[in-house]
Amino acid sequence: EQNIKEKLNLAKKNKNFVTYIITLYNKKAYLLSVIKALAKEGGSHEREYIFVDDGSTDYSFLSLKNLKLKLPGNVKVIRRPNMGASYSTNEAMLKAKGYWVRLLDGDDIITYQSTAKMLRLAKQTKQEFVYGLIYKNITGHKQEKVANYTVQSKYEGLYKFIRNCPANSSCILLSVKRFFLSGGCEESFVSPDQILFLRLFSSGNGVFLNEMVAKMPNNQSSHSLSTQIRRSRYESILALIKFCEDNKDIDKRLKKFAFKRALSRAHNYNKFLNKRYFSL
């Protein structure tokens, strides 16, 4: 932990500064909505925005050149060949100036004041990892005036995310220190979602904010990670296996639960995706 603090110069980072990391691949159609929501999000914290264009072929970069002027903070754009959202997130984390980081997929819409609320909870509870909810096609959702939250222990968080992954990386606010202490994103996985929550809870407690902090677009493209059913289901199984391999000393009850969930998912996905009832 001390090495991470020194390497990232955490002692000198402003604790009221949030870096937004937005990863995108062929998200040109969504960028206007995403940036409008970021511009109107509100909150008194300082901010910067790092967009990682992960080898887009739809000229997302050209749209960003014009739209970034709408944002209330410095904007960096990283362009490179396609390497996946996990690689993009790790890369941008090393360039973050903020003590805190808010993650966002390139087509998800951030909700009003959500980062400010998560930041207040992090400081209030003295935790460095907060996550909320994401819903698709929400209408008439009313935000609560008083934050409805729970501090979840390492065991509680791991049990929840072994059972299911009810959120994605767009729901996360965390410190740079917590990200690197957890091991960050697994770059052999295209999406950060499945393994990142397990890694974050493997490294300690977290705060669950029981309200919507981001929402998915109504019409998702085929490039959206959440629409790639086969890949996401396969990675959800691999995430449980990787979690057990990386955490040899984890509670035996959790390891047994992870094993049973991996078997169950493999069986169910084989039936659903391959239309078979048996598989070697």
Side-chain angles (χ1 to χ4, degrees):
E1 182 174 347
Q2 188 59 36
N3 289 339
I4 289 174
K5 286 181 178 180
E6 292 173 358
K7 183 178 178 181
L8 299 172
N9 204 18
L10 292 177
K12 294 185 178 180
K13 285 186 182 286
N14 182 345
K15 291 197 175 182
N16 197 43
F17 194 119
V18 178
T19 297
Y20 293 75
I21 293 177
I22 305 100
T23 58
L24 52 108
Y25 173 71
N26 287 348
K27 300 293 176 69
K28 180 181 177 182
Y30 304 99
L31 278 175
L32 179 59
S33 298
V34 169
I35 289 176
K36 275 185 175 180
L38 285 167
K40 295 178 180 178
E41 189 203 6
S44 61
H45 54 279
E46 295 181 53
R47 62 201 82 192
E48 68 170 353
Y49 305 88
I50 301 178
F51 289 85
V52 187
D53 184 349
D54 189 29
S56 296
T57 58
D58 66 350
Y59 302 103
S60 295
F61 174 72
L62 295 178
S63 296
L64 270 176
K65 286 178 69 175
N66 297 322
L67 293 173
K68 69 181 185 179
L69 298 175
K70 298 178 181 290
L71 293 171
N74 187 46
V75 178
K76 299 175 186 174
V77 180
I78 301 171
R79 292 180 71 200
R80 53 161 173 68
N82 181 252
M83 296 288 287
S86 295
Y87 186 97
S88 296
T89 303
N90 285 345
E91 182 180 22
M93 275 284 183
L94 291 169
K95 301 179 185 296
K97 289 185 177 179
Y99 184 88
W100 301 97
V101 173
R102 177 76 194 267
L103 302 181
L104 192 67
D105 190 59
D107 57 2
D108 290 340
I109 306 299
I110 206 163
T111 60
Y112 180 67
Q113 293 277 353
S114 58
T115 302
K117 189 171 288 188
M118 295 167 84
L119 186 57
R120 282 197 300 272
L121 275 180
K123 292 177 179 179
Q124 177 184 327
T125 59
K126 297 182 179 178
Q127 299 294 330
E128 303 213 342
F129 162 44
V130 182
Y131 74 98
L133 296 171
I134 190 162
Y135 293 112
K136 190 175 180 181
N137 297 326
I138 285 292
T139 56
H141 182 87
K142 184 179 179 182
Q143 296 280 17
E144 299 291 338
K145 290 184 179 180
V146 178
N148 179 15
Y149 71 93
T150 307
V151 177
Q152 294 177 330
S153 69
K154 177 178 177 178
Y155 185 93
E156 290 169 331
L158 285 174
Y159 187 90
K160 178 177 181 176
F161 281 93
I162 290 170
R163 184 183 182 89
N164 192 24
C165 188
N168 72 12
S169 53
S170 294
C171 299
I172 293 174
L173 173 87
L174 78 170
S175 69
V176 176
K177 178 178 75 174
R178 181 64 175 271
F179 180 83
F180 285 105
L181 275 176
S182 73
C185 297
E186 174 56 49
E187 293 179 5
S188 63
F189 288 38
V190 175
S191 170
D193 300 344
Q194 303 284 346
I195 193 72
L196 184 56
F197 279 100
L198 293 174
R199 285 185 169 181
L200 288 170
F201 271 113
S202 294
S203 62
N205 300 341
V207 181
F208 168 52
L209 174 59
N210 190 20
E211 63 181 70
M212 186 170 65
V213 297
K215 58 182 178 180
M216 295 179 182
N218 291 331
N219 299 307
Q220 290 180 287
S221 75
S222 60
H223 296 297
S224 176
L225 293 180
S226 58
T227 64
Q228 297 170 23
I229 302 299
R230 285 182 178 273
R231 180 205 53 76
S232 64
R233 299 301 186 267
Y234 182 57
E235 285 194 351
S236 76
I237 299 167
L238 288 182
L240 294 176
I241 297 169
K242 181 69 174 168
F243 162 72
C244 290
E245 289 176 344
D246 291 347
N247 295 275
K248 303 294 185 184
D249 299 325
I250 205 72
D251 189 301
K252 288 184 179 179
R253 293 170 296 174
L254 289 173
K255 191 170 284 191
K256 184 177 181 180
F257 185 42
F259 177 70
K260 290 172 71 174
R261 290 297 292 157
L263 284 180
S264 174
R265 287 179 189 178
H267 177 63
N268 289 332
Y269 298 155
N270 180 59
K271 286 196 300 180
F272 174 68
L273 296 171
N274 299 325
K275 309 301 181 186
R276 296 184 205 149
Y277 283 88
F278 300 100
S279 170
L280 291 177

